[in-house]
Structures are given as C-alpha cells and as structure tokens.
C-alpha cells in the first residue's frame, strides 16, 4: 500500500537545504550518470558537490554553447582528450572541459512529480508540491579557489556560465583552467558545488541591517558584533581586506610561479614555502599587487551565516576591471559558528590585471548577498560534518601542511 513519506512544500521561496536536495535526488531531479550514483557525502547544508567524470578534453578556448550542445562545441574546439580515471595532469593556463558525473532533470515552471520507492513495508511515495521557478547555480568549492583553479559549470544551449534555468534536462560539464600550479585530477574529485533554489529572494539592504541588529552577521577583529552604523551595505554586505598585524604576522600569501604539480588527492601534504611567498605585516598599511600574480588575503571583518540563511560572496565591481576578487562564492548556513564564537574571517582570492594595483587596509574588496533557506537545514557548516574552514583566519587550502 502506498503512503506519503515526505511531502516537501516548495511554496516557500529560498535555497533548498540538504533534506530537500535528498528528496530531489530520490525524485530523479538530481542523478548520477552511468554507474556513478549520487553518494551521501556529496550533500552539504545548502548544496551538493559535483564530481569530475572519466574524461577531459583540451580545447582551444573557453566558450558558451548558446545555440548548440556542449559536446558540439567541444567537437569544434577540442585538440585532444584523455582519461582521468587513474589521474592526469592539467597544465596551467590551458582550458579543459570535463563532463561531470551528475545530470539534472529540472522541473518546468509547475511541477508535482511523484516518485515511488520500495522498502519492506511496500511502496512509498515522495511528492513535491508546486515547485515553481526551480533554478540552480554552481560555484567553485573553497579549496578550488584557494588553489587558483578557475572553474565554471556549462550546460547545453546556455548563454550564461554556472546558472541553470527551469526545465533544463541534461548533463553537466565543467570548464577547468589551472592558473598558478599544474594540478593532478582524478575521476570523482569535487571542484564545484550546486545550489538549487525556489525563486530568487535576495535579502534587501534593509533586511540585512534588520537581521544584523538581532542576529549579528559581522564582527570586528576582536570578535564583538559590529555597531549597526559601521555595517556597510549596498545591494549586499561589504567586506574589506586586512593588511594590519603585529610585526612579522603573515597577512597574506603570493603564489610562486613555475612550481611542481599539486595532486588533489594529497591532503595536508605540501610545504607552504614550496608554493607560496608569505606577505608579512609592515609599518605601511598598504600593498602594491603585481600584475597577474595571485594572492590570498583575509577579510578585516569576521562574518557568520545564521542557520536560516545562505550566502554568496561576489566580487566588488571597482568599475575598472583591474582587480578580480574571490573565485569561490558559497557560504553555508552555520559558517562562523554562533554569535558567541565571533564569526570567522572570509578568505579573499585576488588577482590584479594589466597594471600594478594599490590596496590599503580596510579597502572594500567584496560583498556578500544573502538568501533565506526554504526551511532550516538538518545540518549546518561546522565540526559535526568536518568542515575544513570553520573558525578560520587566514588559511590556505587543505592540501598544504597547516
């Protein structure tokens, strides 16, 4: 006898949390390709990790398919292909397209699917109710950005990277461009993640200030909530760069050029000094960035993401195009811990283009936009799920010895 085990109302707008993503997987909206089913540890509080497939294509240039499939574009641009099942090296500043092990069957505007599952008690029905405007967005994982690996998801007939519209059905592809270091990749590794949202409800600046007044989002360097008058908002919550510290404190890192490869399977393995030049505190509170060099800094402010919200960090548009900040954007519910924990610094990935660029302590570097979760996630970012960057200060990727 059939019975409903999970009726998931999608009338509430917002980011779908882990428990709803699992239901979408059971309903066939998210699935694995061939013999690669979705694994339980791919699910994060507000997203699902995407896995590299079995083959990589070296192509002449980046592209958007627009009026074609991704494979048709690959056929026009590819130079060669190779298996990554046993591991293979991707060279810096070369463009690779890697089919992912996940595919999507996004519902159209109005969606009420039923999926029958079987257990010892008979069929059970999973039902999704009125899922209007269900869209998805991808972003690099934190470690991907900290390794200066430029990635973005591409889908058939799309005119935008990373964004997936209602009704899309098909495979996912990842563009991968290592920038500073050669990297060794392997089938199943996870460089990107996908969020699914019902509607697109970004908190207004007034909403952000109201939330901060009762459930602080930003903290000063001592971990105390920032006064409301000091919180800067303009279509998002602004963060600035930290360039002050005690003498000899490390305030940032600059990637060394012409280094050995980084095997993404090797965690806590590489010496920091082999790949990074430390930037230490000095009497000046400014720094001139070298053109096309890659830097890691930390935010001056400490931030936290309350359980009912999810956030995305976006680059601050200087209007000049000369400064690129932050490649990896998703911040999960629970990042930064509780109010008593005083938040955590955001790590900023920075590259100056074309010309040397002066940055100063406290200079605006990026902003965070916030969206509500459609319901509270069953788990949040933190030690319970072994999150790598909870409570972080300035922290390099997990592949380097801490």
């Amino acid at each position: 006898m059939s019975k409903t085990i999970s009726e998931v109302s999608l009338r509430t707008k917002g980011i779908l949390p882990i428990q709803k993503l699992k239901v979408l997987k059971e309903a066939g909206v998210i699935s694995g390709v061939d013999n690669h089913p979705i694994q339980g540890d791919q699910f994060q509080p507000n997203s699902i990790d995407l896995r590299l497939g079995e083959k990589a294509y070296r192509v002449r240039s980046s592209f958007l398919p627009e009026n074609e499939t991704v494979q048709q574009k690959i056929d026009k641009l590819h130079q060669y292909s190779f298996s990554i099942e046993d591991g293979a090296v991707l060279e810096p500043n070369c463009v690779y397209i890697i089919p992912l092990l996940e595919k999507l069957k996004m519902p159209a505007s109005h969606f009420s699917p039923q999926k029958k599952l079987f257990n010892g008690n008979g069929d059970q029905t999973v039902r999704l109710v009125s899922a209007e405007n269900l869209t998805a967005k991808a972003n690099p994982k934190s470690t991907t950005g900290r390794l200066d690996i430029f990635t973005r998801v591409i889908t058939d007939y799309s005119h935008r990277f990373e964004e997936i519209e209602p009704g899309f059905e098909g495979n996912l592809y990842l563009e991968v461009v290592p920038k500073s270091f050669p990297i060794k990749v392997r089938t199943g590794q996870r460089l990107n993640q996908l969020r699914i949202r019902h509607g697109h409800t970004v908190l207004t600046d007034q909403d952000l200030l109201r939330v901060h007044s009762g459930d602080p989002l930003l903290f000063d360097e001592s971990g105390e909530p920032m006064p409301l008058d000091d919180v800067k908002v303009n279509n998002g919550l602004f963060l600035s760069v930290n360039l002050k510290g005690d003498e000899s404190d490390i305030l940032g890192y600059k990637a060394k050029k012409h280094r050995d490869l980084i095997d993404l399977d090797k965690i806590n393995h590489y010496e920091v000094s082999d790949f990074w030049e430390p930037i230490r505190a000095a009497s000046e509170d400014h720094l001139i960035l070298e053109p096309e060099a890659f830097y890691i800094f930390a935010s001056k402010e400490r931030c936290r993401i309350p359980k009912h919200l999810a956030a995305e960090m976006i680059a601050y548009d200087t209007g000049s195009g000369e400064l690129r900040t932050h490649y990896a954007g998703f911040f999960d519910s629970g990042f930064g811990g509780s109010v008593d924990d005083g938040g955590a610094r955001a790590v900023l990935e920075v590259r100056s283009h074309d010309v040397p660029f002066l940055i100063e302590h406290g200079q605006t570097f990026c902003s965070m936009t916030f969206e509500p979760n459609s319901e509270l996630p069953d788990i949040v970012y933190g030690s319970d799920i072994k999150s790598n960057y909870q409570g972080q200060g300035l922290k390099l990727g997990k592949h380097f010895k801490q």
Side-chain angles (χ1 to χ4, degrees):
M1 181 178 67
S2 291
K3 64 177 181 178
T4 299
I5 59 169
S6 181
E7 183 179 273
V8 180
S9 173
L10 297 181
R11 294 191 180 95
T12 303
K13 300 292 181 70
I15 302 294
L16 302 193
I18 181 171
Q19 62 269 26
K20 285 189 175 178
L21 293 174
K22 290 180 177 180
V23 172
L24 291 184
K25 176 246 183 184
E26 297 298 336
V29 175
I30 311 167
S31 60
V33 301
D34 301 327
N35 297 315
H36 299 280
I38 301 292
Q39 299 174 5
D41 65 353
Q42 287 180 245
F43 292 97
Q44 304 300 327
N46 317 101
S47 63
I48 182 170
D49 291 343
L50 302 176
R51 301 165 297 170
L52 299 180
E54 298 174 351
K55 180 185 287 188
Y57 297 88
R58 169 73 167 94
V59 293
R60 298 199 305 270
S61 68
S62 180
F63 62 84
L64 277 167
E66 190 90 19
N67 299 313
E68 296 181 289
T69 66
V70 176
Q71 189 60 55
Q72 286 172 324
K73 275 285 197 278
I74 290 173
D75 291 342
K76 291 179 180 179
L77 294 170
H78 93 282
Q79 296 175 314
Y80 56 89
S81 61
F82 52 94
S83 171
I84 63 171
E85 290 185 83
D86 296 321
V89 176
L90 309 185
E91 296 293 343
N93 298 308
C94 294
V95 182
Y96 301 90
I97 305 296
I98 303 178
L100 297 173
L101 294 181
E102 288 72 38
K103 59 183 178 180
L104 294 177
K105 189 176 182 180
M106 297 288 283
S109 294
H110 298 273
F111 180 55
S112 298
Q114 292 190 348
K115 175 73 174 180
K116 287 188 176 181
L117 305 176
F118 181 79
N119 66 11
N121 298 319
D123 286 344
Q124 297 182 329
T125 301
V126 175
R127 186 153 59 94
L128 300 165
V129 182
S130 300
E132 300 179 12
N133 301 319
L134 204 62
T135 62
K137 186 174 184 182
N139 239 299
K141 291 178 66 66
S142 295
T143 298
T144 306
R146 295 179 203 213
L147 289 175
D148 197 18
I149 306 170
F150 183 73
T151 65
R152 45 195 182 181
V153 167
I154 315 173
T155 54
D156 293 343
Y157 305 108
S158 175
H159 64 282
R160 294 181 66 84
F161 294 107
E162 305 279 52
E163 297 182 9
I164 299 168
E165 298 298 319
F168 170 80
E169 182 176 346
N171 296 325
L172 305 177
Y173 299 80
L174 190 65
E175 176 186 334
V176 183
V177 185
K179 299 296 291 182
S180 290
F181 316 117
I183 59 169
K184 186 176 183 180
V185 299
R186 190 183 306 273
T187 298
Q189 290 175 338
R190 306 166 188 187
L191 300 186
N192 274 55
Q193 55 197 334
L194 186 80
R195 278 183 178 173
I196 297 180
R197 61 161 67 97
H198 177 217
H200 189 194
T201 308
V202 177
L203 270 64
T204 66
D205 293 341
Q206 291 74 23
D207 291 334
L208 290 173
L209 294 174
R210 186 163 50 248
V211 170
H212 178 74
S213 65
D215 197 4
L217 304 173
L218 286 188
F219 302 78
D220 62 23
E221 290 142 296
S222 65
E224 292 297 317
M226 288 181 61
L228 200 60
D229 290 344
D230 293 341
V231 176
K232 296 189 291 184
V233 293
N234 187 1
N235 295 320
L237 191 69
F238 282 129
L239 295 179
S240 60
V241 65
N242 178 56
L243 292 179
K244 271 188 179 177
D246 294 334
E247 187 176 355
S248 79
D249 281 354
I250 295 178
L251 302 180
Y253 292 93
K254 176 186 171 187
K256 293 183 176 181
K257 295 183 179 180
H258 314 298
R259 302 309 311 162
D260 291 336
L261 66 85
I262 293 176
D263 186 336
L264 298 188
D265 276 340
K266 295 182 177 179
I267 308 302
N268 196 30
H269 176 81
Y270 296 100
E271 296 289 346
V272 171
S273 59
D274 289 341
F275 293 86
W276 301 93
E277 297 176 12
I279 299 170
R280 299 187 181 275
S283 56
E284 303 92 356
D285 59 358
H286 65 270
L287 180 70
I288 296 177
L289 305 182
E290 294 182 16
E292 304 306 328
F294 180 72
Y295 297 86
I296 297 284
F297 295 107
S299 64
K300 176 185 172 186
E301 303 82 3
R302 304 174 69 87
C303 62
R304 63 177 287 270
I305 314 300
K307 189 174 182 179
H308 68 287
L309 298 175
E312 180 179 358
M313 184 172 283
I314 57 177
Y316 174 55
D317 182 9
T318 63
S320 67
E322 292 171 348
L323 190 69
R324 167 70 188 247
T325 61
H326 212 83
Y327 289 81
F330 289 160
F331 281 62
D332 280 345
S333 306
F335 177 86
S338 68
V339 174
D340 291 340
D341 293 324
R345 297 184 191 270
V347 166
L348 310 172
E349 302 130 11
V350 181
R351 173 174 277 105
S352 176
H353 296 295
D354 301 326
V355 297
F357 197 90
L358 175 74
I359 61 172
E360 300 176 282
H361 177 71
Q363 180 173 332
T364 302
F365 248 47
C366 56
S367 66
M368 299 182 76
T369 59
F370 290 75
E371 294 181 62
N373 291 313
S374 61
E375 65 183 45
L376 294 180
D378 284 349
I379 61 171
V380 296
Y381 193 92
S383 58
D384 289 346
I385 57 171
K386 299 181 180 179
S387 303
N388 289 302
Y389 304 114
Q390 183 70 298
Q392 68 182 4
L394 176 69
K395 191 172 182 180
L396 293 170
K398 61 186 179 182
H399 300 86
F400 301 100
K401 294 180 180 179
Q402 304 300 320

